Amino acid sequence: MDSRNLNLRDMVQFVTIVPDSQTHIYLKEPNLCADKCDLKPCTYICPSHVYYFDDDNQQTLIDYKRCIECGACIYACPLENIDWHFPRPGYGIFYKY
Ligand code: SF4
Ligand code: SF4
């Protein structure tokens, strides 16, 4: 298959994730999400659906084990509220060819 014809969601199939036991993604000010962020772009920018806004509890939930380390959320958050680092060595994504 010609990889130029694949979109990002197709490409995710070539990634293996070794999840760390501790998160590499934090919110700097969790209350900002409910109070100051109307569009919540992290919930639809992330290609791996790491972020979910819990309407009942008015908080952003982070399923960090799904992260494929693309970096998009760092730039998508309008309030620069995401504290993101690479997972520890030996954890995170590995590419399959
Ligand atoms: S985009 Fe940023 S401020 Fe908005 S909900 Fe997501 S983490 Fe919170
Ligand atoms: S780095 Fe990419 S995959 Fe990971 S949480 Fe951010 S947008 Fe999602």
Side-chain angles (χ1 to χ4, degrees):
M1 183 184 298
D2 186 342
S3 62
R4 291 170 299 181
N5 295 327
L6 296 172
N7 63 35
L8 182 56
R9 292 197 191 284
D10 294 325
M11 295 299 288
V12 169
Q13 69 184 298
F14 298 116
V15 170
T16 296
I17 300 175
V18 178
D20 199 346
S21 59
Q22 62 188 51
T23 185
H24 61 288
I25 309 172
Y26 299 89
L27 296 175
K28 297 174 187 172
E29 297 285 346
N31 290 339
L32 280 181
C33 300
D35 296 343
K36 303 281 187 186
C37 188
D38 291 336
L39 296 178
K40 301 177 179 42
C42 64
T43 62
Y44 54 84
I45 290 291
C46 175
S48 200
H49 304 287
V50 167
Y51 300 92
Y52 170 76
F53 191 74
D54 179 354
D55 287 311
D56 293 337
N57 296 303
Q58 290 292 291
Q59 62 181 356
T60 300
L61 305 179
I62 302 173
D63 188 359
Y64 73 92
K65 292 181 178 178
R66 301 178 61 93
C67 179
I68 57 169
E69 302 170 31
C70 73
C73 57
I74 304 165
Y75 302 100
C77 176
L79 303 177
E80 299 183 0
N81 195 26
I82 296 172
D83 182 3
W84 189 98
H85 302 277
F86 283 105
R88 295 183 296 171
Y91 297 102
I93 61 166
F94 295 85
Y95 292 94
K96 298 179 285 185
Y97 297 101

